[in-house]
Amino acid sequence: MATNRTFTMIKPDAVQENHIGGILHMIEEGGFRIVELQKLSLTSERAGQFYAVHAERPFYNDLVKYMSSGPIVAAVLEKDNAVADFRTLIGATNPAQAAEGTIRKKYAKSIEANAVHGSDSDENAQIEADFFFGK
Ligand code: CMP
């Protein structure tokens, strides 16, 4: 069943460079309501669990190291068609391919340090939101 929620993280590079406010502004201007919001640090174990689906990928170890290198901001967002619309707002994973006006075009530095995460399906949005905010 399609839901109207998605999950996002503002990644360590964007937090470090003082872009929390700028990114949240783009999210709100994009029509999303912030339902949950928390700044926290991931241990490498927790980062590894979050990205377990990528465990076999060559970039996994570096990704885990990067995602546990400093604070992140985790959030649940609400909007009609949230998952697809948020992926449009953030742009392509690789910022070199991200469209003008997207969050990654503006803030991402590389394919790894790409400023934000966005869930890729309703099912994963629920799993990822529960990972941080589940009771
Ligand atoms: P994200 O959308 O959070 O999902 C997986 C993350 O792995 C991705 O953003 C990037 O931060 C990181 N990553 C690093 N290298 C790659 C790559 N070659 N392809 C896809 N994702 C990558």
Side-chain angles (χ1 to χ4, degrees):
M1 190 187 75
T3 70
N4 59 352
R5 288 189 173 193
T6 192
F7 171 81
T8 187
M9 282 186 290
I10 302 175
K11 297 186 179 185
D13 60 299
V15 172
Q16 170 67 28
E17 291 181 17
N18 255 2
H19 296 318
I20 296 174
I23 289 171
L24 292 180
H25 183 67
M26 285 183 76
I27 289 171
E28 290 188 327
E29 287 291 299
F32 293 84
R33 186 157 288 277
I34 298 167
V35 180
E36 304 269 13
L37 185 72
Q38 188 182 1
K39 185 180 180 193
L40 72 156
S41 294
L42 288 170
T43 62
S44 51
E45 189 185 10
R46 287 276 287 167
Q49 285 167 3
F50 184 86
Y51 281 114
V53 63
H54 294 304
E56 304 305 318
R57 307 286 287 275
F59 57 80
Y60 178 72
N61 287 343
D62 283 344
L63 176 61
V64 168
K65 204 180 294 175
Y66 160 63
M67 288 302 299
S68 54
S69 67
I72 57 131
V73 173
V76 175
L77 308 176
E78 200 167 73
K79 181 184 184 298
D80 286 348
N81 202 32
V83 168
D85 284 2
F86 191 66
R87 289 177 76 79
T88 300
L89 178 66
I90 65 179
T93 303
N94 185 346
Q97 286 152 17
E100 283 299 335
T102 63
I103 292 174
R104 284 172 171 158
K105 178 73 179 182
K106 185 161 185 188
Y107 292 114
K109 295 199 297 203
S110 67
I111 194 167
E112 177 177 84
N114 63 356
V116 283
H117 167 80
S119 305
D120 64 2
S121 66
D122 288 322
E123 187 189 3
N124 283 337
Q126 181 73 57
I127 291 168
E128 292 170 1
D130 285 348
F131 185 89
F132 286 93
F133 299 106
K135 304 286 179 276

